[in-house]
Amino acid sequence: MSTMLHRTIHLFRKGLRLHDNPTLLAALESSEVVYPVYILDRKFLMSAMHIGTLRWHFLLQSLEDLHRSLTKLGSCLLVIQGEYESVLRDHVEKWNITQVTLDAEIEPFYKEMEQTIQALGGEMGFDVLSSMGHTLYDIRRILDKNGGTPPLTYKRFLHILSVLGDPNAPVRNLTAEDFQRCKPPSALGLVEGYQVPRPEDLGIPQQSQSPWRGGESEGLQRLEQHLKNQGWVANFTKPKTIPNSLLPSTTGLSPYFSLGCLSVRSFFYRLSNIYAQVFEEMLLDADYSINAGNWMWLSASAFFHQYTRIFCPVRFGKRTDPEGQYIRKYLPVLTNFPSKYIYEPWTAPEEAQKQAGCIIDRTLRPRKTKDPSSHRRNGVELRTESTAPKSQANTLTTKPRLLNFGSPWSHSDPHSTCQGPQPKAVSRLHASVGRGM
């Protein structure tokens, strides 16, 4: 028995993209006709979202880019200005619509809008289909796993995610065949009356432009540039922001995630796959099953979830590499240091420092403390001097070299992990050791 196909309006709200768009894909697979629509409700945008001039430009650019992408696939974006409910009511009747699809969102004003659309569907007799595509996880599942309430601590939040497992994989790419099968009969005539407005049509000043151009195409291009940078991928972490920078000191991808021009799920899996490819390329003993299992074990995302994998760079180093060969290779300034002090060079006697040809400035020597909260951000400055015998100074320069280890840390409990901030250079080295176990 054949299922009747729908006549569908797909409402774009924040998912302004074609890649990894599960709701649009569902609309195309369940319909004989699909109208891709963006309702430009200026009152809603200015009141609920408080959208400013820069974001207006970014939004309009994103809509233009979406329209161009749809046109390449044989469709178009229909931008309709007006109040949300009245616009939808008019066009449901005008186009004999039997289904409305839209991304589920988490903001209260978008949830209220979806409830209004659900009520309108009940009144006018059309189905409403919504699915989560803007966030990495379905927020509703997180709430369900936590007894119907939001997790109130980050630790609890991470526990819930470990229970949920990996996010859903991105859906397949859309094709011209998808849209050709669902093209409205009057598609060519539709375009003329539903164009993306220009900024001047909305009274938006042209001079208030951002160096970030909106749209899926621009977002994907920026993402590819970052992913091609092997150093950026290998050291990916939360970027450090510079408050007084004239340009963003972050990745610059957040505006594209915010409006859904980029899929967070695509980013997540692209980054994960690149990590896996690096391991397969660089490891002589790379093995598909062992590598995958080890990643899950190390991340505590499978097998067990209670272990906190935090290493003390001093105790871990002394246990796994007591001679400090790893430190000597990647910090040649410490090549000639005695093994006894290689992991805590500031504790070495002055005579040992002179023999090693590496003197620690006494004024910057870290202070020991039993209270981690009282740590000060004292740098550790290492200078290489020509006091070492020539046979020992082959890796050292005759001019002073500076090496900043960052803040000190204490050992108030010899049986516990290190307390307080860890020296940045050493902790990065031992992060590498941990990954290579």
Side-chain angles (χ1 to χ4, degrees):
M1 183 176 178
S2 60
T3 304
M4 184 186 73
L5 295 176
H6 285 287
R7 296 178 59 84
T8 299
I9 287 178
H10 175 73
L11 283 178
F12 285 97
R13 298 202 287 179
K14 286 201 300 186
L16 302 182
R17 64 178 187 273
L18 297 185
H19 75 280
D20 186 32
N21 195 322
T23 313
L24 178 55
L25 176 61
L28 291 167
E29 291 179 340
S30 63
S31 306
E32 61 178 358
V33 174
V34 172
Y35 294 86
V37 169
Y38 183 88
I39 299 178
L40 204 160
D41 186 340
R42 296 184 64 184
K43 183 179 179 181
F44 169 79
L45 291 172
M46 297 294 285
S47 58
M49 298 182 63
H50 305 286
I51 186 169
T53 302
L54 290 178
R55 201 167 190 197
W56 267 115
H57 281 286
F58 195 90
L59 171 62
L60 295 178
Q61 292 163 359
S62 299
L63 294 176
E64 281 283 5
D65 182 74
L66 180 59
H67 174 64
R68 285 192 295 268
S69 298
L70 284 166
T71 301
K72 291 177 183 177
L73 296 179
S75 184
C76 61
L77 179 65
L78 308 173
V79 178
I80 310 172
Q81 297 191 51
E83 191 271 328
Y84 227 95
E85 184 176 352
S86 61
V87 165
L88 193 56
R89 183 184 294 274
D90 292 344
H91 286 79
V92 164
E93 291 181 352
K94 182 177 181 180
W95 294 333
N96 298 317
I97 296 301
T98 62
Q99 177 178 252
V100 172
T101 59
L102 67 162
D103 282 344
E105 301 292 352
I106 60 174
E107 292 90 343
F109 44 83
Y110 273 131
K111 292 173 72 173
E112 182 180 346
M113 179 189 294
E114 183 174 340
Q115 291 171 358
T116 301
I117 294 172
Q118 292 277 5
L120 190 61
E123 175 191 334
M124 300 186 69
F126 61 81
D127 295 338
V128 178
L129 171 66
S130 68
S131 59
M132 194 69 70
H134 187 63
T135 53
L136 193 59
Y137 288 87
D138 188 334
I139 305 300
R140 295 167 295 193
R141 293 186 64 209
I142 295 177
L143 293 175
D144 289 342
K145 290 293 182 182
N146 200 51
T149 61
L152 299 181
T153 66
Y154 190 57
K155 182 178 181 180
R156 179 63 182 170
F157 174 69
L158 292 180
H159 171 72
I160 296 296
L161 296 189
S162 71
V163 173
L164 291 176
D166 288 338
N168 291 334
V171 300
R172 70 170 177 86
N173 290 331
L174 304 177
T175 66
E177 183 180 352
D178 292 321
F179 287 97
Q180 186 64 36
R181 188 180 63 252
C182 300
K183 182 184 293 186
S186 56
L188 293 177
L190 281 174
V191 179
E192 208 165 302
Y194 298 92
Q195 298 99 330
V196 178
R198 297 170 299 180
E200 53 267 31
D201 297 334
L202 303 177
I204 299 170
Q206 283 284 1
Q207 62 269 25
S208 299
Q209 295 264 7
S210 166
W212 270 254
R213 182 168 184 82
E216 177 184 22
S217 301
E218 180 73 16
L220 288 172
Q221 182 179 347
R222 287 176 179 270
L223 177 59
E224 291 300 325
Q225 289 172 351
H226 280 295
L227 294 179
K228 287 178 181 177
N229 183 344
Q230 190 174 14
W232 179 83
V233 173
N235 297 294
F236 179 73
T237 184
K238 178 176 173 60
K240 294 182 178 179
T241 57
I242 303 174
N244 57 353
S245 174
L246 294 177
L247 291 175
S249 51
T250 60
T251 62
L253 296 177
S254 55
Y256 303 94
F257 289 128
S258 175
L259 280 182
C261 301
L262 280 180
S263 159
V264 291
R265 297 190 305 192
S266 294
F267 174 67
F268 174 86
Y269 279 100
R270 286 289 305 279
L271 198 62
S272 300
N273 290 339
I274 288 176
Y275 271 111
Q277 290 168 10
V278 168
F279 265 67
E280 291 176 3
E281 179 183 346
M282 299 298 185
L283 293 182
L284 293 177
D285 60 349
D287 178 274
Y288 178 86
S289 299
I290 292 176
N291 285 353
N294 199 37
W295 272 94
M296 290 189 286
W297 176 72
L298 286 171
S299 66
S301 59
F303 313 123
F304 61 91
H305 309 287
Q306 302 301 320
Y307 191 71
T308 303
R309 186 163 292 279
I310 301 174
F311 295 106
C312 168
V314 172
R315 296 184 69 246
F316 181 80
K318 287 180 177 180
R319 177 168 61 86
T320 58
D321 181 19
E323 297 301 317
Q325 297 301 325
Y326 195 93
I327 295 291
R328 299 178 199 280
K329 177 178 175 63
Y330 290 104
L331 290 177
V333 69
L334 298 177
T335 297
N336 299 313
F337 244 77
S339 299
K340 181 178 179 180
Y341 306 110
I342 190 71
Y343 290 99
E344 298 171 288
W346 50 86
T347 65
E350 188 171 349
E351 186 60 33
Q353 296 179 34
K354 289 180 179 179
Q355 287 293 321
C358 182
I359 306 295
I360 300 176
D361 192 320
R362 291 182 178 179
T363 62
L364 296 177
R365 184 172 300 185
R367 301 175 182 178
K368 291 186 177 180
T369 177
K370 293 185 179 180
D371 181 8
S373 66
S374 66
H375 285 159
R376 299 181 181 178
R377 296 189 58 83
N378 296 324
V380 179
E381 182 181 293
L382 299 183
R383 296 187 305 186
T384 61
E385 297 185 353
S386 57
T387 57
K390 290 184 178 179
S391 61
Q392 295 181 351
N394 56 348
T395 60
L396 305 177
T397 61
T398 55
K399 295 181 180 180
R401 288 183 61 189
L402 302 180
L403 183 60
N404 187 354
F405 278 93
S407 302
W409 67 97
S410 68
H411 294 280
S412 57
D413 181 359
H415 301 291
S416 67
T417 57
C418 290
Q419 301 179 27
Q422 299 175 358
K424 189 177 300 182
V426 178
S427 63
R428 282 183 179 171
L429 292 176
H430 285 282
S432 302
V433 174
R435 288 195 296 268
M437 286 195 310

